[in-house]
Amino acid sequence: MTHRPELHVTPGTGVLRAPAAALFDGTIWHVFHQFQPRTTEGSRWAHQYSDGSPFSFEECDDVLAPEGDELEIRAGSVTATDNEVNLYFTSVTETGRSIHLAEVPDIAATVENVNDDPTALDPHVRRVGEILGDINGGRWFRSPCVVPDWRDHTDRDCGHSGWIMLAVRGHRDAPEVVVCTSPDGVHWSLLGPLELVGDTGLQGERMVAPRIMRLHDEVKDKVCDVLLITLERDGIDASGYLIGSLVGTQFRVDKPFRRIDHGHDFTRPRNTNFVSRSNNIAAHYRDAYLFGLMNGVGRLDDAYQHESYLAEGWANCLSLPRRVTLQDGILYQTPARGLISAIEESDHALMLTSIFEVPPGDAITVELTDSCGQVAATITHYGDRLELDRSMNTYHQGDEVAVAPLGEGDTDTITVIADGSTVEVFADGGQVAMASRVYFNGQCEEFHLHHTPGVTVLHTNVIAPTMSGFYHLDDVDEGIIR
């Protein structure tokens, strides 16, 4: 049995360091990630694609690797105009970091043929050069997030025009997020440091990996800017978002920082760009799709000590893609369409969904058991909070329980997806998400559902490989669900 998940993006060998960017052309999903093939080599950009649903990725030729005096190629952003794609990446040398651009004139051609040599680079990729280096007293520019066709706050309901970039500059111990603009995506001007105005809920933590997108708030009926950031707290990443509006270099906060995922292992989320989207503004901002790195430590992590690397020579994976909507200032996250079919066509993946009512003082627990019949993790819904516990697992002995607060709702729900060494949980319609790496002895074999007497279970389904439909388990008290 393998620790490798079937439905997640993983490296064939080596270490997946960070998601770089994702792109959807209407049919094919393209995911780029920062990848270190072996300890003696610097990171490069790998490319994988999935035709149709985003759950069956195939490897393509790598698109970028260190050249000349470069030590590493680190994460960045991808944009598209028609079939032409721009790759914005961080170039690392002994003397600093800078943001560079490469072009792919025909993204479709990159999936047609794959070289037998794993070190070969895709011949369809052409480097343009540095686009943001040491300017205006700023140094070490990195981690670009580029959004094409961006209008300012006064025109947000009319669509997009112009380009915007969020990036990080300065030493890694004192990073500073900055805002840049461009008329064409190639020539950039630095506007200045990003200033957060209002109640941010932050306490001076270091902000890295900025991303920005726009969504239509379904409850408030207005278009809002969503600022995704990762905080480095004592060597542990905490990723989340603020809701507001970007005006020049000011982000005017309407809703303070909120964790985007409360599990043990989700960080540095990347939004998916589209080759083309609807000209209808309501449709354009209706939703977004996110991937994150399933690693809770971040840049200080030693991936070579991961169980998957020690046993199988690979480390880290991306989360399942999440469809994200904005409702009353809260991001709701649910798995992307096509997951049920992907699980049915897989070898070992499992998913449980349940609808229930949990009165105060009661709880319902899902146990995930491995091939030896041992409990590897539990997820417990208390009505006002959700807990994911893997501390009983010999691979995760002593780990803290991951806890997420839950808001009030008419009905309590939970979805649990187990795929290889990954567990992802979505609760109360996507109000809360939790992603954790869980190493099983063998695989996740079964779900056991337990609850206290006051809980009413309204409906439960389990999706498993080769199933022709749903199992319907009503009035579940406790026992095995398979």
mmCIF file of all heavy atoms in Angstrom, residues 54 104 113 152 157 164 172 190 194 203 217 231 255 309 312 324 389 419 477:
data_model
loop_
_atom_site.group_PDB
_atom_site.id
_atom_site.type_symbol
_atom_site.label_atom_id
_atom_site.label_comp_id
_atom_site.label_asym_id
_atom_site.label_seq_id
_atom_site.Cartn_x
_atom_site.Cartn_y
_atom_site.Cartn_z
ATOM 1 N N PRO A 54 -10.638 18.186 -12.193
ATOM 2 C CA PRO A 54 -9.294 18.447 -11.641
ATOM 3 C C PRO A 54 -8.861 17.402 -10.620
ATOM 4 O O PRO A 54 -8.374 17.729 -9.541
ATOM 5 C CB PRO A 54 -9.478 19.823 -10.990
ATOM 6 C CG PRO A 54 -10.894 19.811 -10.520
ATOM 7 C CD PRO A 54 -11.674 19.012 -11.530
ATOM 8 N N VAL A 104 4.504 31.344 -22.727
ATOM 9 C CA VAL A 104 4.129 30.095 -23.398
ATOM 10 C C VAL A 104 3.127 30.471 -24.486
ATOM 11 O O VAL A 104 1.948 30.685 -24.197
ATOM 12 C CB VAL A 104 3.505 29.084 -22.420
ATOM 13 C CG1 VAL A 104 3.273 27.747 -23.122
ATOM 14 C CG2 VAL A 104 4.368 28.900 -21.184
ATOM 15 N N ASN A 113 3.153 16.186 -25.952
ATOM 16 C CA ASN A 113 4.247 15.222 -25.906
ATOM 17 C C ASN A 113 5.099 15.478 -24.664
ATOM 18 O O ASN A 113 5.381 16.625 -24.333
ATOM 19 C CB ASN A 113 5.134 15.327 -27.156
ATOM 20 C CG ASN A 113 4.390 14.975 -28.429
ATOM 21 O OD1 ASN A 113 3.992 13.835 -28.630
ATOM 22 N ND2 ASN A 113 4.186 15.967 -29.286
ATOM 23 N N ASP A 152 -9.766 49.670 -10.834
ATOM 24 C CA ASP A 152 -9.677 50.174 -9.472
ATOM 25 C C ASP A 152 -11.049 50.095 -8.801
ATOM 26 O O ASP A 152 -12.030 49.638 -9.380
ATOM 27 C CB ASP A 152 -9.118 51.605 -9.438
ATOM 28 C CG ASP A 152 -10.037 52.627 -10.105
ATOM 29 O OD1 ASP A 152 -11.250 52.376 -10.166
ATOM 30 O OD2 ASP A 152 -9.535 53.669 -10.547
ATOM 31 N N ASP A 157 -17.574 47.250 -10.544
ATOM 32 C CA ASP A 157 -18.783 46.646 -11.074
ATOM 33 C C ASP A 157 -18.833 46.675 -12.600
ATOM 34 O O ASP A 157 -19.777 46.175 -13.204
ATOM 35 C CB ASP A 157 -20.017 47.361 -10.522
ATOM 36 C CG ASP A 157 -20.200 47.120 -9.039
ATOM 37 O OD1 ASP A 157 -19.862 46.016 -8.589
ATOM 38 O OD2 ASP A 157 -20.671 48.035 -8.337
ATOM 39 N N ILE A 164 -2.414 44.313 -12.180
ATOM 40 C CA ILE A 164 -1.947 44.581 -10.828
ATOM 41 C C ILE A 164 -1.104 43.408 -10.351
ATOM 42 O O ILE A 164 -1.338 42.253 -10.753
ATOM 43 C CB ILE A 164 -3.135 44.837 -9.865
ATOM 44 C CG1 ILE A 164 -2.635 45.393 -8.532
ATOM 45 C CG2 ILE A 164 -3.941 43.574 -9.648
ATOM 46 C CD1 ILE A 164 -3.748 45.864 -7.626
ATOM 47 N N ARG A 172 13.896 37.960 4.423
ATOM 48 C CA ARG A 172 12.852 37.005 4.810
ATOM 49 C C ARG A 172 12.415 37.169 6.259
ATOM 50 O O ARG A 172 11.308 36.760 6.629
ATOM 51 C CB ARG A 172 13.338 35.576 4.582
ATOM 52 C CG ARG A 172 14.487 35.134 5.475
ATOM 53 C CD ARG A 172 14.926 33.733 5.128
ATOM 54 N NE ARG A 172 15.991 33.257 5.997
ATOM 55 C CZ ARG A 172 16.578 32.076 5.869
ATOM 56 N NH1 ARG A 172 16.214 31.269 4.887
ATOM 57 N NH2 ARG A 172 17.534 31.703 6.692
ATOM 58 N N LEU A 190 6.259 50.286 -9.458
ATOM 59 C CA LEU A 190 6.006 50.060 -8.042
ATOM 60 C C LEU A 190 5.179 51.207 -7.480
ATOM 61 O O LEU A 190 5.587 52.360 -7.525
ATOM 62 C CB LEU A 190 7.329 49.942 -7.277
ATOM 63 C CG LEU A 190 7.243 49.789 -5.762
ATOM 64 C CD1 LEU A 190 6.603 48.459 -5.396
ATOM 65 C CD2 LEU A 190 8.619 49.924 -5.134
ATOM 66 N N LEU A 194 1.910 47.801 0.658
ATOM 67 C CA LEU A 194 0.493 47.595 0.927
ATOM 68 C C LEU A 194 0.191 48.018 2.358
ATOM 69 O O LEU A 194 0.864 47.598 3.301
ATOM 70 C CB LEU A 194 0.136 46.118 0.740
ATOM 71 C CG LEU A 194 -1.316 45.742 1.047
ATOM 72 C CD1 LEU A 194 -2.260 46.360 0.023
ATOM 73 C CD2 LEU A 194 -1.479 44.224 1.099
ATOM 74 N N GLN A 203 -1.700 41.084 14.541
ATOM 75 C CA GLN A 203 -0.886 41.648 15.608
ATOM 76 C C GLN A 203 0.576 41.764 15.192
ATOM 77 O O GLN A 203 1.482 41.394 15.928
ATOM 78 C CB GLN A 203 -1.015 40.794 16.875
ATOM 79 C CG GLN A 203 -2.435 40.739 17.422
ATOM 80 C CD GLN A 203 -2.551 39.862 18.648
ATOM 81 O OE1 GLN A 203 -1.683 39.046 18.933
ATOM 82 N NE2 GLN A 203 -3.646 40.028 19.373
ATOM 83 N N ASP A 217 -20.294 39.126 -3.135
ATOM 84 C CA ASP A 217 -20.902 38.670 -1.887
ATOM 85 C C ASP A 217 -22.390 38.427 -2.137
ATOM 86 O O ASP A 217 -23.148 39.349 -2.434
ATOM 87 C CB ASP A 217 -20.701 39.708 -0.779
ATOM 88 C CG ASP A 217 -21.067 39.180 0.593
ATOM 89 O OD1 ASP A 217 -22.161 38.611 0.742
ATOM 90 O OD2 ASP A 217 -20.247 39.330 1.524
ATOM 91 N N LEU A 231 0.516 33.931 7.335
ATOM 92 C CA LEU A 231 1.257 34.503 8.456
ATOM 93 C C LEU A 231 2.271 33.479 8.945
ATOM 94 O O LEU A 231 1.946 32.290 9.079
ATOM 95 C CB LEU A 231 0.314 34.872 9.598
ATOM 96 C CG LEU A 231 -0.879 35.761 9.249
ATOM 97 C CD1 LEU A 231 -1.744 35.990 10.480
ATOM 98 C CD2 LEU A 231 -0.427 37.087 8.660
ATOM 99 N N LYS A 255 -13.864 43.084 6.791
ATOM 100 C CA LYS A 255 -13.913 41.920 7.671
ATOM 101 C C LYS A 255 -12.484 41.528 8.025
ATOM 102 O O LYS A 255 -11.645 41.363 7.135
ATOM 103 C CB LYS A 255 -14.614 40.750 6.980
ATOM 104 C CG LYS A 255 -16.113 40.910 6.808
ATOM 105 C CD LYS A 255 -16.843 40.588 8.119
ATOM 106 C CE LYS A 255 -18.355 40.562 7.891
ATOM 107 N NZ LYS A 255 -19.069 40.154 9.120
ATOM 108 N N TYR A 309 8.470 10.490 2.189
ATOM 109 C CA TYR A 309 9.796 10.570 1.575
ATOM 110 C C TYR A 309 10.683 9.421 2.044
ATOM 111 O O TYR A 309 11.393 8.803 1.244
ATOM 112 C CB TYR A 309 10.460 11.910 1.894
ATOM 113 C CG TYR A 309 11.714 12.135 1.076
ATOM 114 C CD1 TYR A 309 11.640 12.691 -0.203
ATOM 115 C CD2 TYR A 309 12.967 11.753 1.554
ATOM 116 C CE1 TYR A 309 12.779 12.866 -0.971
ATOM 117 C CE2 TYR A 309 14.111 11.928 0.793
ATOM 118 C CZ TYR A 309 14.008 12.482 -0.472
ATOM 119 O OH TYR A 309 15.141 12.631 -1.242
ATOM 120 N N GLU A 312 8.960 6.284 0.337
ATOM 121 C CA GLU A 312 8.664 6.228 -1.093
ATOM 122 C C GLU A 312 9.394 7.269 -1.925
ATOM 123 O O GLU A 312 9.244 7.296 -3.147
ATOM 124 C CB GLU A 312 7.147 6.359 -1.300
ATOM 125 C CG GLU A 312 6.345 5.272 -0.581
ATOM 126 C CD GLU A 312 4.851 5.535 -0.593
ATOM 127 O OE1 GLU A 312 4.411 6.478 -1.286
ATOM 128 O OE2 GLU A 312 4.111 4.810 0.095
ATOM 129 N N VAL A 324 -14.866 28.270 -4.193
ATOM 130 C CA VAL A 324 -15.014 29.246 -3.122
ATOM 131 C C VAL A 324 -16.050 30.291 -3.520
ATOM 132 O O VAL A 324 -16.009 30.836 -4.631
ATOM 133 C CB VAL A 324 -13.664 29.938 -2.830
ATOM 134 C CG1 VAL A 324 -13.815 30.968 -1.725
ATOM 135 C CG2 VAL A 324 -12.618 28.904 -2.431
ATOM 136 N N ASP A 389 -8.688 15.145 15.192
ATOM 137 C CA ASP A 389 -7.690 14.596 16.112
ATOM 138 C C ASP A 389 -6.967 13.425 15.436
ATOM 139 O O ASP A 389 -7.609 12.464 15.008
ATOM 140 C CB ASP A 389 -8.390 14.127 17.390
ATOM 141 C CG ASP A 389 -7.403 13.648 18.457
ATOM 142 O OD1 ASP A 389 -6.180 13.712 18.217
ATOM 143 O OD2 ASP A 389 -7.871 13.215 19.523
ATOM 144 N N ASP A 419 -7.991 10.214 1.113
ATOM 145 C CA ASP A 419 -7.319 9.839 -0.136
ATOM 146 C C ASP A 419 -5.836 9.670 0.159
ATOM 147 O O ASP A 419 -5.136 10.664 0.376
ATOM 148 C CB ASP A 419 -7.554 10.916 -1.198
ATOM 149 C CG ASP A 419 -6.834 10.628 -2.508
ATOM 150 O OD1 ASP A 419 -6.617 9.441 -2.819
ATOM 151 O OD2 ASP A 419 -6.489 11.590 -3.228
ATOM 152 N N ASP A 477 -27.041 5.072 14.331
ATOM 153 C CA ASP A 477 -26.706 5.265 15.736
ATOM 154 C C ASP A 477 -25.211 5.216 15.907
ATOM 155 O O ASP A 477 -24.571 6.183 16.241
ATOM 156 C CB ASP A 477 -27.371 4.193 16.594
ATOM 157 C CG ASP A 477 -27.052 4.379 18.072
ATOM 158 O OD1 ASP A 477 -27.263 5.505 18.562
ATOM 159 O OD2 ASP A 477 -26.589 3.430 18.710
#
